[in-house]
Coordinates of all heavy atoms in Angstrom, one line a residue:
M1 N 16.1 -6.7 20.1 CA 15.6 -5.4 19.8 C 14.6 -5.0 20.8 O 13.8 -5.9 21.2 CB 15.0 -5.3 18.4 CG 14.5 -4.0 18.0 SD 13.7 -4.0 16.3 CE 15.2 -4.2 15.3
K2 N 14.6 -3.8 21.3 CA 13.6 -3.3 22.3 C 12.2 -3.4 21.7 O 12.0 -3.2 20.5 CB 13.9 -1.9 22.7 CG 15.1 -1.7 23.5 CD 15.2 -0.3 23.9 CE 16.6 0.3 23.7 NZ 16.7 1.7 24.0
D3 N 11.2 -3.5 22.6 CA 9.8 -3.6 22.1 C 9.4 -2.3 21.4 O 8.7 -2.4 20.4 CB 8.9 -3.8 23.3 CG 8.9 -5.3 23.8 OD1 9.3 -6.2 23.0 OD2 8.4 -5.5 24.9
T4 N 9.8 -1.2 21.8 CA 9.5 0.1 21.2 C 10.0 0.1 19.7 O 9.3 0.5 18.8 CB 10.0 1.3 21.9 OG1 11.4 1.2 22.1 CG2 9.3 1.5 23.3
N5 N 11.2 -0.4 19.5 CA 11.8 -0.5 18.2 C 11.1 -1.5 17.3 O 10.9 -1.3 16.1 CB 13.3 -0.7 18.3 CG 14.1 0.5 18.7 OD1 13.6 1.6 18.6 ND2 15.2 0.3 19.2
K6 N 10.7 -2.6 17.9 CA 10.0 -3.7 17.2 C 8.7 -3.1 16.6 O 8.3 -3.3 15.5 CB 9.7 -4.9 18.1 CG 10.8 -5.7 18.4 CD 10.4 -6.9 19.3 CE 11.6 -7.6 19.9 NZ 11.2 -8.6 20.8
K7 N 8.0 -2.3 17.5 CA 6.7 -1.7 17.1 C 6.9 -0.7 16.0 O 6.2 -0.6 15.0 CB 6.0 -1.1 18.3 CG 5.5 -2.1 19.2 CD 4.8 -1.4 20.4 CE 4.4 -2.5 21.4 NZ 3.9 -1.9 22.7
L8 N 8.0 0.1 16.1 CA 8.3 1.1 15.1 C 8.6 0.4 13.7 O 8.1 0.9 12.7 CB 9.5 1.9 15.6 CG 9.9 3.0 14.6 CD1 9.6 4.4 15.3 CD2 11.4 2.9 14.3
I9 N 9.4 -0.6 13.8 CA 9.8 -1.3 12.5 C 8.5 -2.0 11.9 O 8.3 -2.0 10.7 CB 10.9 -2.4 12.8 CG1 12.2 -1.6 13.1 CG2 11.1 -3.3 11.6 CD1 12.7 -0.8 12.0
W10 N 7.7 -2.6 12.8 CA 6.5 -3.3 12.2 C 5.6 -2.2 11.6 O 5.0 -2.5 10.5 CB 5.7 -4.0 13.3 CG 4.5 -4.6 12.8 CD1 3.2 -4.4 13.1 CD2 4.4 -5.6 11.7 NE1 2.3 -5.1 12.4 CE2 3.0 -5.9 11.5 CE3 5.3 -6.3 10.9 CZ2 2.6 -6.8 10.5 CZ3 4.8 -7.2 10.0 CH2 3.5 -7.4 9.8
K11 N 5.4 -1.0 12.2 CA 4.6 0.0 11.6 C 5.2 0.4 10.2 O 4.5 0.7 9.3 CB 4.6 1.2 12.6 CG 3.6 2.3 12.2 CD 2.2 1.8 12.2 CE 1.2 2.9 11.9 NZ -0.1 2.4 11.7
L12 N 6.5 0.5 10.1 CA 7.2 0.8 8.9 C 6.9 -0.2 7.8 O 6.6 0.1 6.7 CB 8.7 1.0 9.1 CG 9.5 1.5 7.9 CD1 9.0 2.9 7.4 CD2 11.0 1.5 8.3
I13 N 7.0 -1.5 8.2 CA 6.7 -2.6 7.3 C 5.2 -2.5 6.9 O 4.9 -2.7 5.7 CB 6.9 -4.0 8.0 CG1 8.4 -4.2 8.2 CG2 6.3 -5.1 7.2 CD1 8.8 -5.4 9.1
Q14 N 4.3 -2.2 7.8 CA 2.9 -2.1 7.4 C 2.7 -0.9 6.4 O 2.0 -1.1 5.4 CB 2.0 -1.8 8.6 CG 1.9 -3.0 9.5 CD 1.1 -2.7 10.7 OE1 1.3 -1.7 11.4 NE2 0.1 -3.6 11.0
N15 N 3.3 0.2 6.7 CA 3.1 1.4 5.8 C 3.7 1.1 4.4 O 3.1 1.4 3.4 CB 3.8 2.6 6.4 CG 3.0 3.2 7.6 OD1 1.8 2.9 7.7 ND2 3.7 3.9 8.4
H16 N 4.9 0.5 4.4 CA 5.5 0.2 3.1 C 4.8 -0.9 2.4 O 4.7 -0.9 1.2 CB 7.0 0.0 3.2 CG 7.8 0.1 2.0 ND1 7.8 1.3 1.3 CD2 8.5 -0.8 1.2 CE1 8.5 1.1 0.2 NE2 8.9 -0.2 0.1
G17 N 4.3 -1.9 3.2 CA 3.5 -2.9 2.6 C 2.2 -2.4 1.9 O 1.8 -2.8 0.9
D18 N 1.6 -1.4 2.6 CA 0.4 -0.8 2.0 C 0.8 -0.1 0.6 O 0.0 -0.2 -0.3 CB -0.2 0.3 2.9 CG -0.8 -0.3 4.2 OD1 -1.1 -1.5 4.2 OD2 -1.0 0.5 5.1
Y19 N 1.9 0.5 0.6 CA 2.4 1.1 -0.6 C 2.6 0.0 -1.7 O 2.3 0.3 -2.9 CB 3.7 1.9 -0.4 CG 4.4 2.3 -1.6 CD1 4.0 3.4 -2.4 CD2 5.6 1.6 -2.1 CE1 4.6 3.7 -3.6 CE2 6.2 1.9 -3.2 CZ 5.8 3.0 -4.0 OH 6.4 3.4 -5.1
L20 N 3.1 -1.1 -1.4 CA 3.4 -2.2 -2.3 C 2.2 -3.0 -2.8 O 2.3 -3.8 -3.7 CB 4.4 -3.2 -1.7 CG 5.9 -2.6 -1.6 CD1 6.7 -3.7 -0.9 CD2 6.4 -2.2 -2.9
K21 N 1.0 -2.8 -2.1 CA -0.2 -3.6 -2.5 C -0.4 -3.5 -3.9 O -0.4 -2.4 -4.5 CB -1.4 -3.1 -1.7 CG -1.5 -3.8 -0.4 CD -2.8 -3.5 0.3 CE -2.9 -4.1 1.6 NZ -4.0 -3.7 2.4
N22 N -0.7 -4.6 -4.6 CA -1.0 -4.7 -6.0 C 0.1 -4.2 -6.9 O -0.1 -3.9 -8.1 CB -2.3 -3.9 -6.3 CG -3.5 -4.4 -5.6 OD1 -3.7 -5.6 -5.4 ND2 -4.2 -3.4 -5.0
K23 N 1.3 -4.0 -6.4 CA 2.5 -3.7 -7.2 C 3.5 -4.8 -7.3 O 4.4 -4.7 -8.1 CB 3.2 -2.4 -6.6 CG 2.3 -1.2 -6.6 CD 3.0 0.0 -6.1 CE 2.1 1.2 -6.1 NZ 2.6 2.4 -5.5
L24 N 3.4 -5.9 -6.6 CA 4.3 -7.0 -6.7 C 3.9 -7.8 -7.9 O 2.7 -8.0 -8.2 CB 4.2 -7.8 -5.4 CG 4.7 -7.2 -4.1 CD1 4.4 -8.1 -2.9 CD2 6.1 -6.8 -4.2
K25 N 4.9 -8.3 -8.5 CA 4.7 -9.2 -9.7 C 3.9 -10.4 -9.4 O 4.1 -11.0 -8.3 CB 6.1 -9.6 -10.3 CG 6.9 -8.5 -10.9 CD 8.2 -9.0 -11.4 CE 9.1 -7.9 -11.9 NZ 10.4 -8.4 -12.3
P26 N 3.0 -10.8 -10.2 CA 2.2 -12.0 -10.0 C 3.1 -13.2 -9.9 O 4.2 -13.3 -10.5 CB 1.3 -12.1 -11.2 CG 1.3 -10.8 -11.9 CD 2.6 -10.1 -11.5
H27 N 2.7 -14.2 -9.1 CA 3.4 -15.4 -9.0 C 2.4 -16.6 -9.0 O 1.4 -16.5 -8.3 CB 4.2 -15.4 -7.7 CG 5.3 -16.5 -7.6 ND1 5.0 -17.8 -7.2 CD2 6.6 -16.5 -7.9 CE1 6.1 -18.5 -7.2 NE2 7.1 -17.7 -7.7
P28 N 2.8 -17.7 -9.7 CA 1.8 -18.8 -9.7 C 1.5 -19.5 -8.3 O 0.5 -20.1 -8.2 CB 2.5 -19.9 -10.7 CG 3.9 -19.4 -10.8 CD 4.0 -17.9 -10.5
N29 N 2.4 -19.3 -7.4 CA 2.2 -19.9 -6.1 C 1.2 -19.0 -5.2 O 0.8 -19.4 -4.2 CB 3.5 -20.0 -5.3 CG 4.4 -21.1 -5.9 OD1 3.9 -22.0 -6.7 ND2 5.6 -21.1 -5.5
H30 N 0.9 -17.8 -5.8 CA 0.0 -16.9 -5.0 C -1.1 -16.4 -6.0 O -1.1 -15.3 -6.4 CB 0.8 -15.7 -4.6 CG 2.0 -16.1 -3.7 ND1 1.9 -16.4 -2.4 CD2 3.3 -16.1 -4.0 CE1 3.1 -16.7 -1.9 NE2 3.9 -16.5 -2.9
P31 N -2.1 -17.3 -6.3 CA -3.1 -17.0 -7.3 C -4.0 -15.8 -6.8 O -4.6 -15.1 -7.6 CB -3.9 -18.3 -7.4 CG -3.6 -19.1 -6.2 CD -2.2 -18.7 -5.8
D32 N -4.1 -15.6 -5.5 CA -5.0 -14.6 -5.0 C -4.2 -13.3 -4.8 O -4.7 -12.3 -4.2 CB -5.7 -15.0 -3.7 CG -6.6 -16.1 -3.9 OD1 -7.2 -16.3 -5.0 OD2 -6.8 -16.9 -2.9
G33 N -3.0 -13.2 -5.2 CA -2.1 -12.1 -5.0 C -1.1 -12.3 -3.9 O -1.3 -13.1 -3.0
R34 N 0.0 -11.5 -3.9 CA 1.0 -11.7 -3.0 C 0.8 -10.8 -1.8 O 0.3 -9.7 -1.9 CB 2.4 -11.3 -3.7 CG 2.7 -12.4 -4.8 CD 3.9 -12.0 -5.6 NE 5.1 -12.0 -4.8 CZ 6.2 -11.5 -5.2 NH1 6.3 -11.0 -6.4 NH2 7.3 -11.5 -4.4
N35 N 1.3 -11.2 -0.6 CA 1.2 -10.5 0.6 C 2.4 -9.6 0.7 O 3.6 -10.1 0.9 CB 1.2 -11.5 1.8 CG 1.1 -10.9 3.1 OD1 1.5 -9.7 3.3 ND2 0.5 -11.6 4.1
P36 N 2.3 -8.3 0.6 CA 3.4 -7.4 0.6 C 4.1 -7.3 2.0 O 5.3 -7.1 2.0 CB 2.8 -6.0 0.3 CG 1.4 -6.1 0.6 CD 1.0 -7.6 0.4
Y37 N 3.4 -7.6 3.1 CA 4.0 -7.5 4.4 C 4.9 -8.8 4.6 O 6.1 -8.6 5.1 CB 3.0 -7.5 5.5 CG 1.8 -6.6 5.2 CD1 0.6 -7.0 4.8 CD2 2.0 -5.2 5.2 CE1 -0.4 -6.1 4.4 CE2 1.0 -4.3 4.9 CZ -0.2 -4.8 4.5 OH -1.2 -3.9 4.2
A38 N 4.4 -9.9 4.2 CA 5.2 -11.1 4.2 C 6.4 -11.0 3.3 O 7.5 -11.5 3.6 CB 4.4 -12.3 3.9
H39 N 6.2 -10.4 2.1 CA 7.3 -10.2 1.2 C 8.5 -9.4 1.8 O 9.6 -9.8 1.7 CB 6.8 -9.5 -0.1 CG 7.8 -9.1 -1.1 ND1 8.5 -10.1 -1.8 CD2 8.4 -7.9 -1.5 CE1 9.3 -9.5 -2.7 NE2 9.3 -8.2 -2.4
I40 N 8.1 -8.3 2.5 CA 9.2 -7.5 3.1 C 9.9 -8.3 4.2 O 11.1 -8.3 4.3 CB 8.6 -6.2 3.7 CG1 8.1 -5.3 2.6 CG2 9.6 -5.4 4.6 CD1 7.2 -4.1 3.0
C41 N 9.1 -9.0 5.0 CA 9.7 -9.8 6.1 C 10.6 -10.9 5.6 O 11.6 -11.1 6.2 CB 8.6 -10.4 7.0 SG 7.7 -9.1 8.0
S42 N 10.2 -11.5 4.5 CA 11.0 -12.6 3.9 C 12.3 -12.0 3.4 O 13.4 -12.6 3.5 CB 10.3 -13.4 2.9 OG 10.3 -12.7 1.6
L43 N 12.3 -10.8 2.8 CA 13.5 -10.2 2.3 C 14.4 -9.8 3.5 O 15.7 -9.9 3.4 CB 13.2 -8.9 1.5 CG 12.5 -9.2 0.1 CD1 12.2 -7.9 -0.6 CD2 13.4 -10.0 -0.8
I44 N 13.9 -9.3 4.6 CA 14.7 -9.0 5.8 C 15.3 -10.3 6.2 O 16.5 -10.3 6.6 CB 13.8 -8.4 6.9 CG1 13.3 -7.0 6.5 CG2 14.5 -8.4 8.2 CD1 12.3 -6.4 7.4
N45 N 14.5 -11.4 6.3 CA 15.1 -12.7 6.7 C 16.2 -13.2 5.8 O 17.2 -13.7 6.3 CB 13.9 -13.7 6.7 CG 14.0 -14.6 7.9 OD1 15.0 -14.9 8.4 ND2 12.8 -15.1 8.3
K46 N 16.1 -13.0 4.5 CA 17.1 -13.4 3.6 C 18.4 -12.6 3.8 O 19.5 -13.1 3.8 CB 16.7 -13.2 2.2 CG 15.7 -14.3 1.7 CD 15.4 -14.1 0.3 CE 14.3 -15.1 -0.2 NZ 13.8 -14.8 -1.5
K47 N 18.2 -11.3 4.0 CA 19.4 -10.4 4.1 C 20.1 -10.6 5.4 O 21.3 -10.6 5.5 CB 19.0 -8.9 3.9 CG 20.2 -8.0 4.1 CD 19.8 -6.5 3.8 CE 20.9 -5.6 4.1 NZ 22.0 -5.6 3.1
Y48 N 19.4 -10.6 6.5 CA 20.0 -10.6 7.9 C 20.0 -12.0 8.5 O 20.5 -12.2 9.6 CB 19.2 -9.7 8.8 CG 19.4 -8.2 8.3 CD1 18.3 -7.6 7.6 CD2 20.5 -7.5 8.6 CE1 18.5 -6.3 7.2 CE2 20.6 -6.2 8.2 CZ 19.6 -5.6 7.5 OH 19.7 -4.3 7.1
N49 N 19.4 -13.0 7.8 CA 19.4 -14.4 8.4 C 18.7 -14.5 9.7 O 19.0 -15.4 10.5 CB 20.8 -15.0 8.5 CG 21.4 -15.2 7.1 OD1 20.8 -15.7 6.2 ND2 22.7 -14.8 7.0
C50 N 17.7 -13.6 9.9 CA 16.9 -13.7 11.1 C 15.7 -12.7 10.9 O 15.7 -11.9 10.0 CB 17.7 -13.3 12.4 SG 18.3 -11.6 12.4
S51 N 14.8 -12.8 11.8 CA 13.6 -11.9 11.8 C 14.1 -10.5 12.2 O 15.1 -10.3 12.9 CB 12.6 -12.4 12.9 OG 11.6 -11.4 13.1
Y52 N 13.3 -9.5 11.8 CA 13.6 -8.1 12.2 C 13.6 -8.0 13.8 O 14.3 -7.2 14.3 CB 12.7 -7.1 11.6 CG 11.3 -7.1 12.2 CD1 10.9 -6.3 13.2 CD2 10.3 -8.0 11.6 CE1 9.6 -6.3 13.7 CE2 9.0 -8.0 12.1 CZ 8.7 -7.1 13.2 OH 7.4 -7.1 13.7
K53 N 12.8 -8.8 14.4 CA 12.7 -8.8 15.9 C 14.0 -9.2 16.6 O 14.3 -8.9 17.7 CB 11.6 -9.7 16.4 CG 10.2 -9.2 15.9 CD 9.2 -10.2 16.3 CE 7.8 -9.9 15.7 NZ 6.8 -10.9 16.0
D54 N 14.8 -10.0 15.9 CA 16.0 -10.6 16.5 C 17.3 -9.7 16.2 O 18.3 -10.0 16.7 CB 16.3 -12.0 15.9 CG 15.1 -12.9 16.3 OD1 14.6 -12.8 17.4 OD2 14.8 -13.9 15.5
L55 N 17.1 -8.7 15.4 CA 18.2 -7.8 15.2 C 18.5 -6.9 16.4 O 17.6 -6.6 17.2 CB 18.0 -6.9 14.0 CG 17.9 -7.6 12.6 CD1 17.4 -6.7 11.5 CD2 19.3 -8.1 12.3
S56 N 19.7 -6.4 16.5 CA 20.1 -5.6 17.6 C 19.6 -4.1 17.3 O 19.4 -3.8 16.1 CB 21.6 -5.6 17.8 OG 22.3 -5.0 16.7
D57 N 19.5 -3.4 18.3 CA 19.0 -2.0 18.2 C 19.9 -1.1 17.4 O 19.4 -0.1 16.8 CB 18.7 -1.4 19.6 CG 17.5 -2.0 20.3 OD1 16.5 -2.1 19.6 OD2 17.6 -2.3 21.5
N58 N 21.2 -1.4 17.3 CA 22.1 -0.6 16.6 C 21.9 -0.8 15.1 O 22.5 0.0 14.3 CB 23.5 -0.8 17.0 CG 24.0 -2.2 16.8 OD1 23.3 -3.1 16.3 ND2 25.3 -2.4 17.1
K59 N 21.1 -1.7 14.6 CA 20.9 -1.9 13.2 C 19.6 -1.3 12.7 O 19.2 -1.4 11.5 CB 20.8 -3.4 12.9 CG 22.1 -4.2 13.1 CD 22.6 -4.7 11.8 CE 23.9 -5.5 12.0 NZ 24.7 -5.6 10.9
I60 N 18.9 -0.6 13.6 CA 17.6 -0.1 13.2 C 17.6 0.9 12.1 O 16.7 0.8 11.2 CB 16.9 0.5 14.5 CG1 15.4 0.7 14.2 CG2 17.5 1.8 14.9 CD1 14.6 0.8 15.4
E61 N 18.6 1.8 12.0 CA 18.6 2.7 10.9 C 18.9 2.0 9.6 O 18.3 2.4 8.5 CB 19.6 3.8 11.1 CG 19.3 4.8 12.3 CD 17.9 5.5 12.1 OE1 17.6 5.9 11.0 OE2 17.2 5.6 13.1
E62 N 19.8 1.1 9.6 CA 20.1 0.3 8.4 C 18.8 -0.5 7.9 O 18.5 -0.6 6.8 CB 21.2 -0.7 8.7 CG 21.6 -1.6 7.6 CD 22.7 -2.6 7.9 OE1 23.4 -2.4 8.9 OE2 22.8 -3.6 7.2
L63 N 18.1 -1.0 8.9 CA 16.9 -1.8 8.6 C 15.8 -0.9 8.0 O 15.1 -1.3 7.1 CB 16.4 -2.5 9.9 CG 15.2 -3.4 9.7 CD1 15.4 -4.5 8.7 CD2 14.8 -4.0 11.1
K64 N 15.7 0.3 8.6 CA 14.7 1.3 8.0 C 15.0 1.6 6.5 O 14.1 1.6 5.7 CB 14.7 2.6 8.8 CG 14.1 2.5 10.1 CD 14.2 3.9 10.8 CE 13.7 4.0 12.2 NZ 13.9 5.3 12.8
S65 N 16.3 1.8 6.3 CA 16.7 2.1 4.9 C 16.4 0.9 4.0 O 16.0 1.1 2.8 CB 18.2 2.5 4.8 OG 18.4 3.7 5.5
F66 N 16.7 -0.3 4.5 CA 16.5 -1.5 3.7 C 15.0 -1.6 3.4 O 14.6 -1.9 2.2 CB 17.0 -2.7 4.4 CG 16.7 -4.0 3.7 CD1 17.5 -4.4 2.6 CD2 15.7 -4.8 4.1 CE1 17.3 -5.5 1.9 CE2 15.4 -6.0 3.4 CZ 16.2 -6.4 2.3
I67 N 14.1 -1.4 4.4 CA 12.7 -1.6 4.2 C 12.1 -0.6 3.1 O 11.4 -0.9 2.2 CB 11.9 -1.5 5.5 CG1 12.2 -2.6 6.4 CG2 10.4 -1.4 5.3 CD1 11.8 -2.5 7.8
L68 N 12.6 0.6 3.3 CA 12.1 1.7 2.4 C 12.6 1.5 0.9 O 12.1 2.0 0.0 CB 12.5 3.1 2.9 CG 11.8 3.5 4.2 CD1 12.3 4.8 4.7 CD2 10.3 3.5 3.9
G69 N 13.7 0.7 0.8 CA 14.3 0.4 -0.5 C 13.6 -0.8 -1.2 O 13.8 -1.0 -2.4
V70 N 12.7 -1.5 -0.5 CA 12.0 -2.6 -1.1 C 11.0 -2.1 -2.0 O 10.1 -1.4 -1.6 CB 11.4 -3.5 0.0 CG1 10.5 -4.6 -0.6 CG2 12.4 -4.2 0.9
N71 N 11.1 -2.5 -3.3 CA 10.1 -2.0 -4.3 C 9.7 -3.0 -5.3 O 9.0 -2.7 -6.3 CB 10.6 -0.7 -4.9 CG 11.9 -0.9 -5.7 OD1 12.3 -2.0 -5.8 ND2 12.4 0.2 -6.1
K72 N 10.2 -4.2 -5.1 CA 9.7 -5.3 -6.1 C 9.6 -6.6 -5.4 O 9.9 -6.8 -4.3 CB 10.7 -5.4 -7.3 CG 12.2 -5.5 -6.9 CD 13.0 -5.5 -8.1 CE 14.5 -5.4 -7.7 NZ 15.4 -5.6 -8.8

């Protein structure tokens, strides 16, 4: 993925992560609360089997939709 697209996706992760703050279900492994940015990145990793940085540029629209669909 091009650097400009990486920055765009990271900004989207940050914005959506801000929205998810204090909305993720509590988990015993995270007594101080869950990190919404890491949560989104881990879901991307699970779905695509790689980091968002390693995806091709032609998947950017699909990735945007996926990120915006993360709500739990």
Side-chain angles (χ1 to χ4, degrees):
M1 184 179 289
K2 292 185 225 174
D3 283 341
T4 54
N5 287 339
K6 287 179 192 177
K7 289 177 184 176
L8 182 111
I9 293 297
W10 178 243
K11 189 67 175 165
L12 185 62
I13 289 170
Q14 288 177 314
N15 288 339
H16 199 61
D18 289 345
Y19 167 77
L20 290 176
K21 272 187 183 172
N22 301 318
K23 293 182 181 172
L24 296 174
K25 293 179 185 175
H27 192 276
N29 291 346
H30 305 283
D32 296 329
R34 294 173 64 192
N35 179 336
Y37 317 107
H39 176 70
I40 294 169
C41 289
S42 79
L43 291 176
I44 291 169
N45 219 333
K46 283 181 188 175
K47 178 172 174 74
Y48 296 100
N49 294 317
C50 64
S51 167
Y52 72 92
K53 297 174 186 177
D54 297 328
L55 289 171
S56 64
D57 288 315
N58 63 355
K59 293 245 184 206
I60 196 163
E61 292 304 319
E62 179 183 339
L63 184 56
K64 285 180 187 179
S65 295
F66 178 76
I67 292 168
L68 292 174
V70 172
N71 60 8
K72 50 183 173 175

